[in-house]
Amino acid sequence: MHVGYNTNGLTDHPLADALALIADHGYTAVALTIGYPHVRPFDSDLGAQLGALRALLDTHGLQVAIETGARYLLDPRLKHKPALVDIAAEPRVEFLRRAIDIAADLGATCVSLWSGYAVDYSDPDTTRELLVGRLAQVVDYADRKSVTLGFEPEPGMFVETVEHALEVCRALGDPPRLGITLDVGHCVMTEPGGAHAAIADLGDKLVNVHLDDMTPLKHEHLEFGHGALDLGAVMDALQTSGFAGVASVELPRHSHDAPNVLRRSMSAINRARLPNAARSWIDNAAAVIRSGPDKILEIFPKAQRWMSQISGDATLMARVQLLTTLVAEIPDETAGPLVERLYQWGDSDERLAVLRGLETAALDGNFGPVTTAAGVTLAEDALRCNDPRLVGAALGGFGTRFLAQPTWRHGVMKLIFMEVPLRAVPGLRIRADAELSRMATDYISERTAAGRPVSADVRMLQQLAATMTEVPE
């Protein structure tokens, strides 16, 4: 399974930046919504757009699924119109053909589509006949292009349940190229057995998945944890079913906070992919810390024993969550000294978890002055070590926000010496200054004089910082 993110939640970012963010946050796929602002399917330069897009997908190693849910692409006044159930549906059919062409060009896993909202001027039998007839045309075209379609039931639309979607497939003779796209948030509203049961029932018919939370009473895509979805059960069901397609986060109303939503969503998914026993251990450990904060000094090292059978990443994930629980929910004057002791008493893996936890807490804004001061001391200590993991973590979200400029510059140059890619440093473009440019220039001169290669990162840093102003020490 490839976990992806839908570009309809990144509409304030140019496509190149959107794909870079998706990849940088650990996603391995993108759900590409065809339409403005990212892909202009009716423009004369579509071929050039797709050529550039293929290069970006290759650069970031991203799989792609094609989504066709742009709201006003075909009609500037009516959302999602015309649809397959409308009388004058040819623009929709033609758009879907174009989406299939794009999918074939990009090697996409599927094209996702839906019926459209039921219309009051037509009876259900006539509407169904229109839908099946139009969908047959689209399926025929997809078959000729060797592209898989994922038909999505959606609350409020003519086809809104999994069973109804399967009935439509059967009416077409269950063509091999027609599968189901399942939005697990929708299942909270429409599927009595829940998303995990729908996944199990669909089996091989499931070709595409949308991930989001939702409440039973309102069709609104929410971040995980803000609705009634059991994400752990969903991820368990997907793993059990052997689903190998793209499961993409779909949060179309969250572009205003996209970088943080990307991060929080991946964190929730990674946790949900842990075995149930591991998730329970984290929950129980967090509860113990809430009732007795000092207990974290005993629990933090024990995470290795509980999580190591899963993966090293699972141990890190568990520790980060425990530390963020401490910082967010325990009074600052208690949390700060405990954070410091966890780092001072810990091995390199535990220290990495402390720094990553500080980064997460900083991005979420959960800091008081005592913990902030302790964190600065720990980040400064990490910059003096020779473990590139710790140096990189020290320059993460916490270091970017709180480290003094001279210390931060030193850390950036240390990453250069360690040959750690600078993409690991958030905020580089807003903190680079003239002094950092001089440091990069001196480094380049020394390397050049010694006949040694100079990385593209250093030259980028030199050029980036050269236009910046001097920052007082």
Side-chain angles (χ1 to χ4, degrees), residues 63 133 185 445 460:
Q63 297 289 312
S445 298
M460 176 275 294

Side-chain angles (χ1 to χ4, degrees), residues 1-6 27-32 62-67 107-110 180-182 206-211 238 243-249:
M1 177 175 66
H2 293 276
V3 177
Y5 199 92
N6 197 314
Y27 297 87
T28 59
V30 57
L32 183 69
L62 294 172
Q63 297 289 312
V64 60
I66 300 300
E67 301 289 340
T109 58
C110 76
I180 299 295
T181 289
L182 184 72
L206 182 63
V207 298
N208 192 41
V209 175
H210 296 165
L211 300 171
L238 288 171
F243 176 70
V246 171
S248 55
V249 177

Side-chain angles (χ1 to χ4, degrees), residues 213-343:
D213 210 337
M214 201 166 288
T215 65
L217 300 178
K218 186 177 182 181
H219 183 191
E220 180 181 0
H221 291 234
L222 303 172
E223 286 191 63
F224 302 120
H226 292 256
L229 180 75
D230 185 342
L231 183 60
V234 166
M235 301 311 291
D236 289 345
L238 288 171
Q239 182 176 1
T240 300
S241 72
F243 176 70
V246 171
S248 55
V249 177
E250 186 179 27
L251 293 169
R253 293 179 175 86
H254 291 70
S255 291
H256 66 284
D257 194 29
N260 285 321
V261 177
L262 277 157
R263 173 181 58 82
R264 290 193 294 263
S265 298
M266 180 53 79
S267 177
I269 290 168
N270 283 338
R271 185 184 183 283
R273 296 178 83 171
L274 293 173
N276 186 56
R279 298 196 298 266
S280 296
W281 184 87
I282 294 173
D283 289 341
N284 292 335
V288 170
I289 291 167
R290 292 185 189 100
S291 62
D294 287 354
K295 291 291 185 181
I296 196 171
L297 299 175
E298 302 173 20
I299 294 171
F300 209 69
K302 291 180 180 178
Q304 170 72 20
R305 185 193 316 162
W306 282 92
M307 300 291 168
S308 60
Q309 294 181 353
I310 304 168
S311 71
D313 288 343
T315 302
L316 176 62
M317 187 191 317
R319 286 172 172 162
V320 166
Q321 184 159 344
L322 296 180
L323 189 127
T324 54
T325 297
L326 176 74
V327 172
E329 301 185 36
I330 302 303
D332 181 47
E333 61 273 14
T334 300
L338 289 172
V339 169
E340 201 160 6
R341 271 182 274 175
L342 285 172
Y343 180 91

Side-chain angles (χ1 to χ4, degrees), residues 96 100 109-113 135 138-140 142-143 147-151 176-181 205 207:
L96 292 174
I100 290 166
T109 58
C110 76
V111 172
S112 186
L113 70 164
L135 195 53
V138 177
V139 170
D140 178 67
D143 188 55
V147 169
T148 297
L149 301 176
F151 187 57
R177 288 288 177 184
L178 181 60
I180 299 295
T181 289
K205 200 70 176 174
V207 298

Side-chain angles (χ1 to χ4, degrees), residues 294-436:
D294 287 354
K295 291 291 185 181
I296 196 171
L297 299 175
E298 302 173 20
I299 294 171
F300 209 69
K302 291 180 180 178
Q304 170 72 20
R305 185 193 316 162
W306 282 92
M307 300 291 168
S308 60
Q309 294 181 353
I310 304 168
S311 71
D313 288 343
T315 302
L316 176 62
M317 187 191 317
R319 286 172 172 162
V320 166
Q321 184 159 344
L322 296 180
L323 189 127
T324 54
T325 297
L326 176 74
V327 172
E329 301 185 36
I330 302 303
D332 181 47
E333 61 273 14
T334 300
L338 289 172
V339 169
E340 201 160 6
R341 271 182 274 175
L342 285 172
Y343 180 91
Q344 291 170 344
W345 296 356
D347 60 21
S348 59
D349 288 339
E350 291 167 46
R351 290 184 171 196
L352 177 63
V354 170
L355 294 169
R356 291 296 186 200
L358 289 172
E359 177 178 16
T360 299
L363 292 169
D364 289 338
N366 296 321
F367 269 114
V370 177
T371 304
T372 299
V376 168
T377 299
L378 303 183
E380 290 173 344
D381 179 81
L383 291 179
R384 291 191 288 269
C385 80
N386 292 315
D387 185 335
R389 300 178 307 156
L390 299 187
V391 177
L395 290 177
F398 180 88
T400 293
R401 181 174 172 185
F402 293 111
L403 285 176
Q405 190 71 6
T407 305
W408 180 83
R409 287 192 212 108
H410 162 73
V412 172
M413 291 307 299
K414 187 158 187 173
L415 287 181
I416 291 291
F417 279 100
M418 289 179 158
E419 300 183 347
V420 176
L422 291 185
R423 67 188 301 176
V425 183
L428 185 65
R429 294 181 180 275
I430 62 173
R431 291 201 62 171
D433 60 7
E435 176 60 23
L436 186 58

